[in-house]
């Protein structure tokens, strides 16, 4: 594929087929992404790849945790306080999940959400259906592979920058090979379920996850949110 076609074809896929990703293909994609540039070539990230039984275990574990968290958010202040003290059901990711978006970004965030729900025929006030859709994140949208990216805490935001370049490289490599991806900040809410399966160095912090597999022919995958006009991206001159 030509580069411009790879860029145009990559989009976030939220329904995957059951087709497995072979070890050979997976290694090729990761090796390609590993050629990404990084700050002084420090490559300040670690990657955990979940598939097979490990992924199935996470697919069983995470959705009920999400349900519990949402219940808690709706629950009484007492329940929330209790959860904060006992830590039961609370996020234990390394970075604070974004809940309050900056005012200038919120409209774009809302528009993207509403457009997705509109495509799926989900009404704005149908909290149950929206919950079910969000919950799919924690089932990895049925993908056969999930990738988790951890960044070295010592490089602060610069390791996140490098991890972002790695992530996009991986997504483009996957697209070029006929696979599909969805980057998922949602998968950074909990670290503890990953600790069960991986020896994650303590100084590496969970930044993001990504589902990987083959795109299913489902309505949700028609979702292609538009970008703001280029002028809106450019800092105006004085
Ligand atoms: C760092 C990052 C985190 C994301 N987290 C999620 C997520 O948790 N769940 C989800 O469905 N999509 C997630 N996305 C996908 C974005 O919603 C998507 O990239 C954006 O709407 C643009 O659409 P496109 O990727 O199809 O071009 C994430 C994307 C990025 C880059």
């Amino acid at each position: 594929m030509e580069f411009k076609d790879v860029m145009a074809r990559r989009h976030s896929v939220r329904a995957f087929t059951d087709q497995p990703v072979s070890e050979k293909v997976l290694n090729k994609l990761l090796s390609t992404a590993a050629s990404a540039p990084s700050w002084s070539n420090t490559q300040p990230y670690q990657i955990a790849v979940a598939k097979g039984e490990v992924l199935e275990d996470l697919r069983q574990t995470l959705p009920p945790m999400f349900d519990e968290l949402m219940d808690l958010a709706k629950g009484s202040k007492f329940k929330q306080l209790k959860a904060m003290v006992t830590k039961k059901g609370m996020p234990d990711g390394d970075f604070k999940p974004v809940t309050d978006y900056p005012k200038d970004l919120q409209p774009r965030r809302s528009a993207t959400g509403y457009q997705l729900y509109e495509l799926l025929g989900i009404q704005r006030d149908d909290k149950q259906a929206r919950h079910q859709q969000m919950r799919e994140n924690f089932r990895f949208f049925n993908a056969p592979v999930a990738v988790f990216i951890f960044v070295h805490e010592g490089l602060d935001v610069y390791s996140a920058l490098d991890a972002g370049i790695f992530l996009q490289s991986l997504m483009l490599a996957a697209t070029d090979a006929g696979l599909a991806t969805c980057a998922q900040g949602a998968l950074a809410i909990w670290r503890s379920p990953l600790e069960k399966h991986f020896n994650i160095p303590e100084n590496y912090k969970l930044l993001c996850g990504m589902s990987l597999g083959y795109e299913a022919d489902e309505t949700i995958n028609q979702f292609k949110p538009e970008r703001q006009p280029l002028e809106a991206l450019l800092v105006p001159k004085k």
Side-chain angles (χ1 to χ4, degrees):
M1 251 195 264
E2 279 202 39
F3 176 71
K4 64 176 172 37
D5 298 327
V6 178
M7 279 296 285
R9 188 173 290 200
R10 187 219 57 82
H11 68 113
S12 295
V13 159
R14 297 182 179 88
F16 291 84
T17 68
D18 290 334
Q19 186 181 343
V21 177
S22 75
E23 202 64 16
K24 195 173 156 206
V25 168
L26 187 55
N27 284 338
K28 184 146 181 277
L29 300 183
L30 290 169
S31 308
T32 303
S35 70
S38 65
W39 200 272
S40 286
N41 197 24
T42 47
Q43 303 152 68
Y45 32 73
Q46 289 273 289
I47 315 295
V49 180
K51 52 195 172 64
E53 280 176 18
V54 171
L55 188 61
E56 283 321 306
D57 180 63
L58 294 172
R59 226 192 291 274
Q60 295 297 319
T61 308
L62 290 172
M65 290 175 85
F66 175 66
D67 294 340
E68 201 178 329
L69 184 63
M70 290 297 108
D71 271 355
L72 206 57
K74 283 185 286 182
S76 68
K77 285 270 170 279
F78 174 72
K79 236 176 137 180
Q80 289 172 6
L81 212 63
K82 196 173 148 204
M84 271 160 82
V85 174
T86 61
K87 303 261 188 271
K88 197 172 169 289
M90 294 297 280
D92 63 11
D94 296 313
F95 298 105
K96 195 170 161 277
V98 183
T99 44
D100 294 325
Y101 282 71
K103 250 195 185 146
D104 53 331
L105 301 181
Q106 176 62 30
R108 252 180 259 152
R109 186 227 175 191
S110 307
T112 306
Y114 286 139
Q115 283 160 18
L116 178 71
Y117 294 133
E118 199 177 2
L119 176 73
L120 298 174
I122 296 174
Q123 304 298 316
R124 286 184 186 204
D125 56 359
D126 191 345
K127 290 193 176 140
Q128 181 57 28
R130 285 170 56 167
H131 175 90
Q132 277 309 114
Q133 181 48 48
M134 277 193 262
R135 195 178 196 269
E136 281 301 295
N137 271 285
F138 304 96
R139 292 194 58 263
F140 310 98
F141 306 117
N142 195 46
V145 179
V147 170
F148 297 87
I149 303 188
F150 301 84
V151 286
H152 197 297
E153 65 182 353
L155 274 193
D156 205 20
V157 292
Y158 301 109
S159 34
L161 173 61
D162 290 343
I165 300 172
F166 179 91
L167 182 67
Q168 170 75 336
S169 304
L170 183 57
M171 294 195 287
L172 293 179
T175 306
D176 187 45
L179 285 87
T181 58
C182 187
Q184 290 171 261
L187 297 180
I189 297 182
W190 290 284
R191 177 179 171 120
S192 53
L194 300 176
E195 298 276 9
K196 183 178 161 194
H197 299 286
F198 299 99
N199 282 320
I200 311 158
E202 224 183 282
N203 54 347
Y204 278 85
K205 305 300 175 195
L206 176 59
L207 180 68
C208 192
M210 190 199 87
S211 293
L212 171 73
Y214 293 90
E215 182 169 346
D217 184 13
E218 299 273 352
T219 306
I220 196 166
N221 291 336
Q222 291 165 15
F223 183 53
K224 311 249 165 78
E226 285 191 359
R227 299 303 189 259
Q228 53 182 336
L230 184 58
E231 305 83 70
L233 208 66
L234 302 175
V235 178
K237 285 195 188 113
K238 279 203 171 155

